[in-house]
Amino acid sequence: MESLGVEDLFNFRRFPKDPLILLLLLLYSPVGICLVLIRIFIGVHVFLVSCALPECFLRRFIVRVMCSVLGMHVRQKNPRSRDKNTKLLVCNHVTEFDHNILSLLTPCTTPHLEGWTGFVCWARGFMEIQASAASMGDTLRRYCCTDGTAPLLLFPEETTSNRHKGLLKFSSWPFSLAEPVQPVALHVSRPFIALSIPECSWLVELMWTFFVPVTVYYVSWLPPVSRQDGESTQEFADKVQELLAAELGVVATKITKADKAEHTKRKRYTAPQAQTSVRPGSIGLGFIQSLGTDERRLAKMAQQVKDVLPHVPLSIITKDLAKTNCVDTTITNLLENKEEPLEASGTSAFSSTLSSFSSSAPTIKPAAKTFGRSPADRHLSLQERKEALYNFARRRYIEKHGLPQEDSP
């Protein structure tokens, strides 16, 4: 399976690189601006109609037709697979309006987890829950068990991805709320303008949606899935992620929302620093291209380390790779916990990584059966355990990438 990095899942450019498409976009711009003005006026009426009519099939049909005028066209596949008895729907996240689109096809509600509260939350179609983060799960679990409530729609990726190449790692907490779970595959396409640029507000995305001629949402309903006996919540989440990835024809990755935020922050601050550190005209075009090549090479190496140590954040991996410039040395440093000082999240990630190695490698046993009497004996026992753990990580890396055993360091 192809290993994808953060750059492969997110498009950070709003406009296309092709000069011909840019020329067509420039010629289309006067029409797009007129469409924005007209659709803002129509959008106000769509909002008023959705507020005035009660939840029913007629309301969903009228609002769906009016949304088509706004340029948001919906197509669905396998609508008969929709199970009306299922109380929990999970879907991949593409745009800021995915929950609004799915509510046009079936009654569902999406809880508000972050961002604006009050009127803006209600106007966007979210359900605001008066509960703390610690009790959010219990509140949603009681909601799913209540008769007569609409199904709950959740996005386990917890953020949007717009490259149509892979899915972010699914968070496990949505799959602990209710069973069975019905997966919903969502694919979105539109011309000229990229979808859901990172760090772009939902209001700006709405204006671009009004600007382009049409944005098409393809919704595919998959059969409900239940957790098997002895299957953990995270294993169940990974299984549903694989099902959705297979339906969409993309890769199920281990990249998380935190990795996206860290990469976006690095990308925001790296460019200004590179521009201020050198004077214009003092560097050649080849050096500028080499900077981009080095960044891509470092991102590829970081993904290789994350395949071996999936619980370690990419920020810590990248920081160590910048010093070592070697995958094997970075793996050794992370296993030996040499990176100081460590963040709190990094410490817990290392602990979970080491525990996962211990559980998945039953052949690794303590090197000493008794506590050493002298400091030299105790140090030797620690070194043997580190060596055994490093050898296991190296074998896992070699097996995953199909490298010959004799070529490994």
Side-chain angles (χ1 to χ4, degrees), residues 65-95:
V65 172
M66 297 182 75
C67 284
S68 298
V69 179
L70 296 179
M72 306 171 73
H73 185 64
V74 187
R75 296 180 181 179
Q76 60 176 332
K77 178 183 177 182
N78 303 325
R80 295 185 179 180
S81 298
R82 169 72 181 104
D83 187 1
K84 296 183 179 180
N85 296 322
T86 302
K87 300 292 291 185
L88 181 60
L89 309 176
V90 293
C91 181
N92 59 298
H93 208 359
V94 184
T95 72

Side-chain angles (χ1 to χ4, degrees), residues 117-310:
T117 58
F119 174 78
V120 176
C121 173
W122 171 78
R124 292 189 59 196
F126 288 110
M127 176 180 64
E128 188 171 3
I129 298 178
Q130 302 296 333
S132 62
S135 60
M136 179 70 73
D138 294 333
T139 303
L140 294 178
R141 200 172 290 110
R142 288 194 299 269
Y143 174 87
C144 293
C145 296
T146 304
D147 295 334
T149 56
L152 203 62
L153 172 64
L154 296 176
F155 302 97
E157 291 179 291
E158 298 182 333
T159 187
T160 58
S161 59
N162 59 2
R163 269 283 177 88
H164 304 305
K165 290 185 178 181
L167 297 180
L168 296 177
K169 183 177 178 61
F170 278 15
S171 178
S172 60
W173 72 267
F175 298 88
S176 64
L177 302 179
E179 287 189 45
V181 174
Q182 180 152 31
V184 184
L186 179 64
H187 176 81
V188 187
S189 64
R190 70 183 181 195
F192 300 136
I193 305 298
L195 293 159
S196 302
I197 298 299
E199 295 191 321
C200 185
S201 69
W202 67 271
L203 193 57
V204 175
E205 288 294 336
L206 182 62
M207 293 299 102
W208 283 116
T209 302
F210 288 169
F211 177 83
V212 297
V214 64
T215 302
V216 184
Y217 291 78
Y218 300 91
V219 180
S220 179
W221 301 93
L222 277 67
V225 183
S226 298
R227 185 164 51 176
Q228 303 296 324
D229 295 336
E231 190 175 37
S232 66
T233 307
Q234 186 59 60
E235 290 173 342
F236 184 42
D238 294 340
K239 182 174 69 174
V240 175
Q241 182 191 20
E242 292 285 352
L243 291 175
L244 284 176
E247 176 68 20
L248 293 170
V250 298
V251 179
T253 72
K254 296 181 180 179
I255 300 173
T256 64
K257 175 185 177 182
D259 296 331
K260 173 189 175 182
E262 179 64 27
H263 185 82
T264 303
K265 184 168 60 175
R266 279 181 34 239
K267 199 172 184 68
R268 183 172 64 242
Y269 289 110
T270 299
Q273 290 176 1
Q275 292 175 1
T276 56
S277 61
V278 292
R279 293 175 299 173
S282 62
I283 58 176
L285 180 60
F287 181 69
I288 297 177
Q289 293 175 347
S290 67
L291 287 177
T293 303
D294 290 341
E295 184 178 353
R296 289 194 296 270
R297 182 176 58 84
L298 189 64
K300 184 177 181 180
M301 293 168 63
Q303 187 59 39
Q304 291 175 350
V305 177
K306 192 167 181 66
D307 289 340
V308 179
L309 305 175

Side-chain angles (χ1 to χ4, degrees), residues 332 335-336 364 380-395 409:
T332 304
L335 289 175
E336 293 182 355
I364 299 177
L380 179 60
S381 176
L382 177 62
Q383 288 299 114
E384 291 174 350
R385 289 197 299 271
K386 285 182 178 179
E387 183 66 23
L389 194 57
Y390 171 71
N391 289 334
F392 171 71
R394 186 174 62 177
R395 289 197 305 271

Side-chain angles (χ1 to χ4, degrees), residues 3-119:
S3 180
L4 299 180
V6 179
E7 286 281 357
D8 298 315
L9 297 186
F10 304 101
N11 187 2
F12 291 87
R13 294 174 56 92
R14 173 69 69 180
F15 303 106
K17 297 180 180 180
D18 191 342
L20 179 59
I21 299 180
L22 282 175
L23 177 61
L24 294 176
L25 177 61
L26 182 62
L27 297 176
Y28 170 79
S29 295
V31 179
I33 295 174
C34 294
L35 281 178
V36 170
L37 299 176
I38 295 173
R39 286 172 172 174
I40 288 177
F41 177 77
I42 299 176
V44 174
H45 290 77
V46 175
F47 176 73
L48 295 176
V49 169
S50 62
C51 294
L53 297 178
E55 171 58 41
C56 61
F57 173 79
L58 180 62
R59 173 184 178 273
R60 292 196 299 272
F61 177 77
I62 294 176
V63 175
R64 182 176 176 181
V65 172
M66 297 182 75
C67 284
S68 298
V69 179
L70 296 179
M72 306 171 73
H73 185 64
V74 187
R75 296 180 181 179
Q76 60 176 332
K77 178 183 177 182
N78 303 325
R80 295 185 179 180
S81 298
R82 169 72 181 104
D83 187 1
K84 296 183 179 180
N85 296 322
T86 302
K87 300 292 291 185
L88 181 60
L89 309 176
V90 293
C91 181
N92 59 298
H93 208 359
V94 184
T95 72
E96 296 291 340
F97 314 106
D98 297 343
H99 64 289
N100 302 109
I101 295 300
L102 289 175
S103 65
L104 299 178
L105 304 178
T106 185
C108 60
T109 182
T110 302
H112 177 263
L113 302 178
E114 59 182 16
W116 291 85
T117 58
F119 174 78

